Amino acid sequence: MADNSAAAIPLQRRGVPFGLFAVCFALACINAAFFPAGLFSGIWIWGADGLGIPTDFVNVWAAGKLALQGHPALAWDWDVQRRIELDLLGQDFPGYFAWHYPPPFLFVAAFLAQFPYVTAFAGWAYASFIPYALAMRAIVGRGFGLLLAAGFPALFSNMLVGQNGCLTAALVGGTLYLLPVRPVLAGICLGLLTYKPQYGLLFPIVLIATQRWTAFISASVTAILLALVSLLAFGIDSWQAFVHWLPMFSQAFLTEGKATWWKLQSLFSMVRYFGGSESLGWAFQWVLTAGVAVVLVTLWRSPVRYSLKAAALAVGLLLTTPYLFMYDMMVQAIAVAWLVRIGLAEGFRRYELPALGVIAALQITFMMTGIPLGLAANLIMAALVLARAGSWWRRQPATAEIALAPA
């Protein structure tokens, strides 16, 4: 089995194309300016009317507050959660901001709930950006990675609602960056990612197929230890509540469409958005998932450069989950970073930068219009990776490669 397990970028380094730099700089400036201005003008976190703005982060703070009060299992009770959220925000809102994460993520929620809501929300948004930005910097291999991280379009959506997309991207990026040279640390990152169980299919398949047992065992041990520590901290009732409420959550969001189909960016939700049945949606989703898994195993067992394997796995995670919001698209930034790493080393192909521009435009269009275009963005990203992989495969062996080492 051939696997170079290397960064697979040639030794020469090129400058950042002006167009790529300009777009990232403009989007980064928008992100940097909007949120402080929004906080002080009453359009982010807390309204000018003195009431809290209903958005996703309220369920994190409410779950953490229940854990601190000694009732962690009630975090999964939608009605109890909603009462805490209403008391906090001071106003009603339609539907639910439900807590559905596994018990280990209560550690994050409980920590944040020790602070006033505005402090916790803003602190989480900015603090979780740091490991994500560092992962992007490490993958790209130069300072431009920080600008790429700050200018990624989905970052705006993630910070606006106080979601965990930055943390997820940081852990996915850390796992992929460290895997060739620090498999134990890579496994720890992957084990910490188990708060997003929808990403728990492809990583084990790839690790087993490529016999990366050190990372696989490290991830397994980390996940088991997290579960045991959360069991000791929050009691068995928290795990029972999680298991009890999970089917109800699935029923509400994936069967009844309580989150509305346009908010989800998966193939399953696209079928439902256009009026297809649930069974048809699942059929399409499982066919896509099986196809992605086969392609990834083939790719990861081939001599294709590691950068392309990592990019393919990152975008594959997004294609194979039916439950995918725009803030989850932060993981796509990791795939983009690997592709940019190659482009900055040996030059971009003439279609790659325009295609990356289209991907950014699709994300921005969704945020402005509500048209679900995330699936199209992911398919374009997958096509870019496969195009590079196909040509690399055909011309192996090629230019010299350097091993990936933490920067």
Side-chain angles (χ1 to χ4, degrees), residues 243-257:
V243 172
H244 172 76
W245 284 92
L246 194 59
M248 301 180 192
F249 173 82
S250 178
Q251 171 76 18
F253 286 86
L254 298 181
T255 299
E256 301 173 9

Side-chain angles (χ1 to χ4, degrees), residues 195-362:
Y195 78 92
K196 286 279 192 180
Q198 62 264 43
Y199 295 145
L201 176 64
L202 292 182
F203 266 115
I205 289 176
V206 167
L207 293 180
I208 292 171
T210 56
Q211 300 180 24
R212 297 176 184 270
W213 302 117
T214 301
F216 183 86
I217 293 171
S218 175
S220 301
V221 170
T222 301
I224 292 170
L225 287 177
L226 269 179
L228 290 176
V229 172
S230 70
L231 182 66
L232 293 174
F234 305 119
I236 194 171
D237 289 348
S238 63
W239 278 97
Q240 291 173 336
F242 169 67
V243 172
H244 172 76
W245 284 92
L246 194 59
M248 301 180 192
F249 173 82
S250 178
Q251 171 76 18
F253 286 86
L254 298 181
T255 299
E256 301 173 9
K258 294 293 187 182
T260 64
W261 299 119
W262 64 267
K263 290 185 179 181
L264 295 172
Q265 311 296 312
S266 65
L267 179 58
F268 172 85
S269 63
M270 188 64 66
V271 173
R272 301 305 306 276
Y273 177 77
F274 284 108
S277 66
E278 181 182 6
S279 58
L280 183 64
W282 280 116
F284 274 92
Q285 185 65 56
W286 280 116
V287 168
L288 176 62
T289 298
V292 170
V294 170
V295 169
L296 283 174
V297 169
T298 303
L299 197 64
W300 274 72
R301 288 175 62 88
S302 77
V304 168
R305 61 172 65 187
Y306 181 80
S307 298
L308 292 172
K309 296 177 182 181
L313 182 49
V315 73
L317 295 174
L318 301 177
L319 288 172
T320 54
T321 174
Y323 185 72
L324 184 74
F325 285 92
M326 183 52 68
Y327 58 80
D328 292 311
M329 294 284 286
M330 289 298 301
V331 173
Q332 192 190 82
I334 301 302
V336 170
W338 285 107
L339 192 65
V340 167
R341 179 188 181 107
I342 298 171
L344 294 181
E346 63 182 38
F348 290 93
R349 296 178 178 178
R350 54 189 173 84
Y351 58 83
E352 286 180 333
L353 290 179
L356 291 177
V358 171
I359 289 172
L362 290 173

Side-chain angles (χ1 to χ4, degrees), residues 60-132:
V60 178
W61 195 91
K65 183 59 67 174
L66 285 167
L68 292 176
Q69 293 173 349
H71 309 292
L74 293 180
W76 286 270
D77 188 309
W78 292 11
D79 294 326
V80 173
Q81 263 269 36
R82 198 172 193 279
R83 287 198 297 271
I84 300 291
E85 294 165 358
L86 290 174
D87 289 342
L88 171 66
L89 300 179
Q91 64 172 311
D92 200 358
F93 52 84
Y96 294 87
F97 289 105
W99 175 261
H100 52 271
Y101 295 101
F105 204 57
L106 275 179
F107 286 115
V108 175
F111 174 78
L112 293 172
Q114 296 179 87
F115 302 97
Y117 182 69
V118 173
T119 303
F121 193 134
W124 169 247
Y126 284 104
S128 62
F129 173 80
I130 295 173
Y132 153 69

